[in-house]
Structure formats: structure tokens, C-alpha cells
Amino acid sequence: MGASGPNRLPLLLAAFGVLLLIATLFHQFNGVPESWRTSFSGDGGDRHHGSDSHTASRPSFYEVALSYGTDKVTTHHYHHMYQKYLSPYRDKHLKMLEIGLGCDMSYGPGASFYTWLEYFPYVDLYFIEYDAACAEKWAANTTDATIFTGDQADVDFLNTFMEEAGTNFDVIIDDGGHRMNQQITSLETLWKAVVPGGIYFCEDLQTSYWENYGGDRSNSGKKKTMMGMVKELLDDLHVGPGGHKRKHEVSVDMAFVDCMEEVCAFVKKES
């Protein structure tokens, strides 16, 4: 038989006292502890994307990039995208490739090189540069990176690069020649070099509307442009039973595409 009403009274009073004590402690410590909130939210301590608050006391990506004068934050506003996706990598060991050392910039190469080295203390940094003479000239100043020289629109060169450098890049950034065949070929070929959960960025997408870069000024859709490919990739991400035919093989393991002014991020599925 169950306990009678009077016998349950001490138990009820004890339970009420425990609840009152917990409520008092939570009020004293301003609510749920941060570690509990993290566990409840499902983020965990090893978040892969999004901004992180623990780096707030250090210079932001924008501040680091601005100190070196890179056009990523002067002419362009890529810091919004990079701060969003790259801040979780800041204190991790990562392997990163940027296409374009900056040899064609008026201020010369090195601005993004020094930016990445300061922003990522544990980066294994690679560059692909078309201008071999420039890369050789600056070799003494870029010893903290591995530099390959070749044409990013040359599939054979890109395959050779992956054979030598590997296919385990956490981050790839295309800041190369900005021509349609270069941007499209690089994404189609180097996508296999991005690790699951990794990110491929393509900058300077405004050239998709510049005729001297092979773009389509009228935006008619009659020319094959990088922005045209982005739109087709978004279509591919909606392929389902009875849906349309997939246009790009890279979309098979692509989780999502995120774009802002002049730059897109292509994120690979975790696995």
C-alpha cells in the first residue's frame, strides 16, 4: 500500500526545500552556467562554423587584415564572411591554400600571406601563383608558406599540385586570376582536396559581369560564368526524388552555399 497523506508531508517539504535552494543558487550565479548552456544548445566545445566569443580580446580578422593593407578588407568587405567561418579555426592546426600570392597587386605580394600567418598561429599555408618570376623574387620573404607556380585553369597542373601537396585542406581560397575558366576549373578540380566539413571560398565574383574577364554584362545566362555556376549549384542542392538532373558533380557532397557581395563560401558535408 502507498504511504498515507500525513506520512508524505515530510517528503514534500524536503523536496520543496531542495527546489528552493537550487533556485536561490541559480539566481546568485545569474542563471545556468555557460558550460551547461553550451551542452544544452548542442554546439559542444568543437564547433566548426560560426563566430566564437573567446577570441574577442584579440584583434579580429578585419583588424589583422587592415594592418597589412590587404584589399580583402579595403576595396572589398570579405571580413564579414571570413570572420563568420574562419574564427573557429583560429586556435586549431589547419591546412590552407590560397590561389594568388598577390603578384598583380599594386602594393605587391604578401598582404594576405602575413594576414593568414598572424590570424592563424598554427596554419600550414600553401599558395598557387601564376607568375613564377614574381614568386621566385619573393621566395625569401615567403619561407613560411609552400608555393607552387602554375595556371589554376590547367587541370593537369592542379592534379599534380594535389599529388604533391595532398587532398586534406581545411580551407581553400580562390583569389587568383578571377576569369571564368579559372574560377570554374579551380572549384571543379580542387573541390576533391577539401576535407569533409571544410570550406572553399571564391572571391571577386563581380567579374562574372565583366566582359574582359569572360563575364556576362547583360546577365543573360548565355555565357558560362562563375555566378552562373553558383546558381546551378543552388539548383543541384534541391535535387530530390523525381527532381531535375544534377548539373555539377561537386554538388554531391556539398552541404550548402553561402554568398555575400563578391564572395561565396562552399561548405563540404561533414562525411
Side-chain angles (χ1 to χ4, degrees), residues 48 89 95 97 162 166-173 186-187 189-201 253 266-270:
H48 199 68
Y89 287 100
K95 190 172 180 179
L97 163 67
M162 288 186 287
T167 55
N168 57 338
F169 285 90
D170 299 289
V171 176
I172 295 180
I173 296 175
S186 294
L187 177 58
T189 308
L190 292 174
W191 181 247
K192 65 177 70 73
V194 180
V195 299
I199 315 172
Y200 185 109
F201 296 94
D253 56 357
F266 308 90
V267 181
K268 186 170 277 191
K269 293 178 180 178
E270 290 287 346

Side-chain angles (χ1 to χ4, degrees), residues 3 26 69 92 95 114 152 157 163 166 172 175 182 188 241 254:
F26 272 40
K92 297 180 180 180
K95 190 172 180 179
Y114 291 113
Q152 69 176 108
F157 163 72
E163 290 174 4
I172 295 180
D175 187 19
Q182 294 172 321
E188 290 177 335
M254 190 173 288

Side-chain angles (χ1 to χ4, degrees), residues 30-259:
N30 195 25
V32 181
E34 181 63 32
S35 60
W36 291 18
R37 293 195 204 110
T38 301
S39 300
F40 295 153
S41 68
D43 285 344
D46 190 26
R47 294 172 300 165
H48 199 68
H49 302 305
S51 60
D52 57 343
S53 59
H54 78 280
T55 60
S57 60
R58 293 181 290 177
S60 65
F61 173 80
Y62 175 80
E63 291 169 325
V64 173
L66 188 63
S67 71
Y68 291 109
T70 172
D71 73 337
K72 294 183 187 301
V73 299
T74 54
T75 305
H76 308 288
H77 307 98
Y78 300 149
H79 51 284
H80 298 296
M81 187 68 81
Y82 290 143
Q83 189 69 27
K84 177 180 180 180
Y85 285 101
L86 297 184
S87 58
Y89 287 100
R90 194 161 187 182
D91 293 311
K92 297 180 180 180
H93 292 274
L94 79 152
K95 190 172 180 179
M96 178 179 181
L97 163 67
E98 180 162 20
I99 303 173
L101 185 60
C103 287
D104 60 340
M105 301 303 295
S106 59
Y107 47 74
S112 63
F113 166 79
Y114 291 113
T115 296
W116 299 130
L117 288 179
E118 180 173 337
Y119 190 70
F120 296 121
Y122 311 109
V123 66
D124 184 11
L125 186 59
Y126 291 74
F127 281 92
I128 287 176
E129 172 56 46
Y130 179 78
D131 189 339
C134 173
E136 179 63 28
K137 177 182 178 181
W138 284 81
N141 296 324
T142 53
T143 55
D144 289 330
T146 304
I147 301 175
F148 287 75
T149 56
D151 184 355
Q152 69 176 108
D154 183 344
V155 175
D156 290 336
F157 163 72
L158 295 179
N159 284 327
T160 299
F161 166 80
M162 288 186 287
E163 290 174 4
E164 297 183 20
T167 55
N168 57 338
F169 285 90
D170 299 289
V171 176
I172 295 180
I173 296 175
D174 182 356
D175 187 19
H178 315 320
R179 297 183 181 278
M180 299 305 99
N181 64 324
Q182 294 172 321
Q183 292 176 333
I184 293 171
T185 301
S186 294
L187 177 58
E188 290 177 335
T189 308
L190 292 174
W191 181 247
K192 65 177 70 73
V194 180
V195 299
I199 315 172
Y200 185 109
F201 296 94
C202 187
E203 299 181 356
D204 293 281
L205 291 170
Q206 72 278 9
T207 59
S208 283
Y209 310 98
W210 295 359
E211 292 181 356
N212 58 331
Y213 281 78
D216 184 1
R217 182 179 181 182
S218 64
N219 197 24
S220 65
K222 295 179 180 180
K223 290 184 178 181
K224 189 176 182 180
T225 68
M226 185 61 192
M227 278 306 301
M229 182 180 182
V230 171
K231 296 170 186 176
E232 291 173 350
L233 286 170
L234 291 172
D235 288 336
D236 281 359
L237 294 181
H238 292 83
V239 170
H244 66 283
K245 184 178 179 181
R246 190 182 299 275
K247 292 186 177 181
H248 298 281
E249 188 66 23
V250 297
S251 67
V252 173
D253 56 357
M254 190 173 288
F256 62 90
V257 180
D258 187 7
C259 296

Side-chain angles (χ1 to χ4, degrees), residues 3-17:
S4 62
N7 291 334
R8 291 202 304 267
L9 182 60
L11 294 175
L12 292 174
L13 291 174
F16 178 76

